[in-house]
Amino acid sequence: MARDFDLDGDLDIAAIGFSDDLSKTEHGFLLLKNDGKMNFSAFSSPDAANGKWITMEAADLDNDGDDDIIIGSFIYNLGEMSKIVGKGVDRFPGFVVFWNNRK
């Protein structure tokens, strides 16, 4: 999803990846910040390791003038959940909201 998340005049990219490879779930969500010259720096969150992200939306959820990001997870069965628990994850949110506080 391309939006100007950091409000600096260029498009940044928020991306999710849905995969059965549960060894790298921390890479399931990335925010790629554009420096204005199409050079991108990748950022994520520790919360991204806690799910298998299948849906994403960006909107100004708190009405403060910038777009926030919400991602939704889908864990199919207990087998998948046990693989994530094996990595040390102890909570499984159905969704995560990344609040953008640029304004």
Side-chain angles (χ1 to χ4, degrees):
M1 186 169 292
R3 303 266 173 91
D4 186 9
F5 291 108
D6 56 6
L7 303 176
D8 64 355
D10 54 42
L11 290 177
D12 308 298
I13 300 170
I16 56 173
F18 185 78
S19 171
D20 283 335
D21 181 2
L22 298 175
S23 65
K24 296 187 185 300
T25 53
E26 65 274 8
H27 297 149
F29 168 78
L30 290 175
L31 178 62
L32 303 170
K33 290 188 177 183
N34 185 351
D35 71 356
K37 297 178 183 175
M38 300 302 285
N39 298 308
F40 293 88
S41 299
F43 299 91
S44 190
S45 166
D47 290 329
N50 296 350
K52 291 178 60 180
W53 309 109
I54 194 166
T55 187
M56 176 174 60
E57 185 57 70
D60 187 6
L61 299 173
D62 53 4
N63 293 316
D64 66 350
D66 52 31
D67 283 334
D68 309 295
I69 301 169
I70 185 168
I71 57 176
S73 179
F74 176 72
I75 297 176
Y76 180 67
N77 59 30
L78 289 175
E80 286 186 344
M81 188 177 288
S82 66
K83 288 179 185 178
I84 296 173
V85 168
K87 291 177 44 179
V89 173
D90 61 358
R91 59 188 175 89
F92 306 96
F95 66 92
V96 173
V97 177
F98 298 103
W99 299 104
N100 187 352
N101 295 314
R102 291 287 179 192
K103 281 194 167 185

